[in-house]
Amino acid sequence: MVQREEKIWMDGKFIPWGEANVHILTHSLHYGLAVFEGIRCYLCHDGRPAVFRLGRHVERLFDSAQIGDIKIPFSKREIQEACKETLRMNQLKEGYIRPIVFISDGVRGVYPGDNPIRVGIATWTWGAYLGEEALEKGIRVKISSYTRHHVNVMMTKGKICGNYVNSVLAKREVIKMGYDEALILDTEGYVSEGSGENVFMVKNGVLKTTPLTSILPGITRDSVIHIARDKGMNLVEERFTRDELYTADEAFFTGTAAEVTPIREIDDRKIGDGKRYPVTREIQTTFFDIVKGKNPAYIEWLDYL
Ligand code: PMP
């Protein structure tokens, strides 16, 4: 986690870790309207660190802000540079970058008025989000009793802080029951996404993932779609149900934190033989080669420090 000697980028300058605090009356803290990103930097095979799809992540930060009607007081280029600068400042060659844009103190009701918009960027070392073993053996997933957001209640395409109450509740619920991750159904009962991941299934050689209509447009999801299509795999973006997933040959989660994580069980039902995931494994291996700079065909996805 964040080390005390690390620096945080705050509103355009670096400040010590211990000074990166906000006032208790920060508007976002009370009402949940703030937006954030999660980005990874990998140490490549040649010893150089590279941020994975930085430009696309910063685009999504601005899309989230647009959805939340927040005006970010920096340009996309400035935020991109600040992300890289923070890694350099903290001498981090591999890790996680967390930009957050929030509404500061000022007006004290739901209406945020002209309260200042503030931006922070933190970096820290983060290994496999669901554990090294998860990447290898797969995880046990439970369908949450909570429903994912309705598109006209919280909306789903922005990484808006308040939206994550749903994810936290779902995740906590299934962890208490002894599972590794939650899968959440949409308001019509179809599979939507994990608490912080998109989901894919494989059946008879066809890869299927949920359409973008009511999920977060995951950048790992997009990368996997590119990889699968480039490999000539048959891939469809189509709604599916929990029972279709129960009978899948393979299933996996994708996310910046979760990377490509096989799912070995859903609701205590083994997926496939619960051991081998040939399609998942092929995509996972290619994904890790790409992020580590070993695949020249995808080098434009890397932003070397
Ligand atoms: N869905 C949700 C709800 C998420 O929080 C995340 C993580 N950002 C994802 C999907 C995966 O998105 P990405 O691959 O861009 O990290």
Side-chain angles (χ1 to χ4, degrees):
M1 295 309 289
V2 179
Q3 299 299 308
R4 285 195 168 266
E5 63 269 22
E6 287 185 347
K7 295 266 196 301
I8 309 268
W9 186 96
M10 199 87 177
D11 304 317
K13 54 179 193 291
F14 286 103
I15 56 172
W17 186 92
E19 290 172 24
N21 305 314
V22 295
H23 197 272
I24 193 69
L25 290 172
T26 296
H27 190 277
S28 297
L29 186 59
H30 293 250
Y31 304 111
L33 182 57
V35 298
F36 70 103
E37 262 308 316
I39 312 168
R40 266 192 199 266
C41 175
Y42 289 91
L43 183 59
C44 290
H45 73 116
D46 60 2
R48 289 188 297 160
V51 183
F52 185 62
R53 302 196 71 178
L54 176 60
R56 184 66 203 96
H57 277 282
V58 172
E59 285 279 339
R60 190 173 64 185
L61 182 72
F62 278 74
D63 287 348
S64 299
Q66 165 79 1
I67 291 167
D69 200 11
I70 294 171
K71 193 166 172 350
I72 301 179
F74 294 93
S75 68
K76 288 179 190 167
R77 179 131 301 279
E78 285 169 327
I79 298 292
Q80 279 195 36
E81 278 312 307
C83 288
K84 294 205 276 186
E85 240 349 274
T86 311
L87 289 166
R88 287 190 204 105
M89 174 63 79
N90 292 318
Q91 292 171 13
L92 215 58
K93 289 186 165 25
E94 189 155 55
Y96 191 79
I97 314 167
R98 167 57 55 82
I100 180 162
V101 180
F102 61 96
I103 306 174
S104 193
D105 183 24
V107 178
R108 303 268 164 81
V110 167
Y111 178 65
D114 292 328
N115 291 10
I117 304 300
R118 301 191 60 193
V119 186
I121 302 173
T123 56
W124 63 82
T125 304
W126 224 9
Y129 177 62
L130 296 161
E132 282 297 333
E133 202 181 290
L135 291 175
E136 194 49 43
K137 295 197 173 135
I139 55 168
R140 296 178 63 238
V141 170
K142 172 99 186 94
I143 292 184
S144 173
S145 71
Y146 296 99
T147 299
R148 199 67 181 144
H149 305 296
H150 184 278
V151 288
N152 206 27
V153 176
M154 295 295 281
M155 302 181 283
T156 59
K157 289 194 171 48
K159 253 182 112 59
I160 295 177
C161 294
N163 286 9
Y164 280 80
V165 173
N166 180 259
S167 289
V168 174
L169 290 173
K171 178 111 187 178
R172 207 156 54 176
E173 174 187 48
V174 304
I175 296 282
K176 274 187 190 159
M177 291 191 275
Y179 298 89
D180 303 310
E181 185 54 285
L183 181 65
I184 315 170
L185 305 180
D186 69 17
T187 48
E188 292 179 81
Y190 293 91
V191 170
S192 71
E193 54 191 343
S195 68
E197 304 89 3
N198 294 118
V199 64
F200 285 74
M201 58 165 276
V202 183
K203 182 75 177 180
N204 298 330
V206 179
L207 258 165
K208 202 180 264 196
T209 192
T210 46
L212 284 178
T213 322
S214 59
I215 55 165
L216 186 81
I219 292 164
T220 321
R221 174 190 180 279
D222 180 73
S223 308
V224 164
I225 290 174
H226 272 90
I227 293 167
R229 293 212 165 119
D230 290 350
K231 284 179 180 292
M233 291 177 177
N234 191 351
L235 182 139
V236 290
E237 295 176 66
E238 195 179 282
R239 294 206 293 190
F240 53 91
T241 54
R242 65 195 291 172
D243 47 2
E244 193 172 343
L245 200 50
Y246 290 159
T247 57
D249 299 329
E250 300 179 39
F252 59 93
F253 273 138
T254 63
T256 299
E259 299 165 310
V260 177
T261 299
I263 297 174
R264 76 167 193 271
E265 254 180 47
I266 298 175
D267 292 346
D268 302 308
R269 291 154 177 90
K270 215 183 267 179
I271 301 301
D273 65 6
K275 289 195 193 78
R276 292 175 333 103
Y277 324 98
V279 177
T280 309
R281 193 67 73 208
E282 189 180 344
I283 288 175
Q284 188 192 51
T285 304
T286 306
F287 175 79
F288 281 121
D289 281 352
I290 291 170
V291 299
K292 300 215 170 212
K294 291 186 196 160
N295 191 330
Y298 299 87
I299 217 78
E300 78 275 14
W301 281 350
L302 303 187
D303 229 297
Y304 288 95
L305 279 199

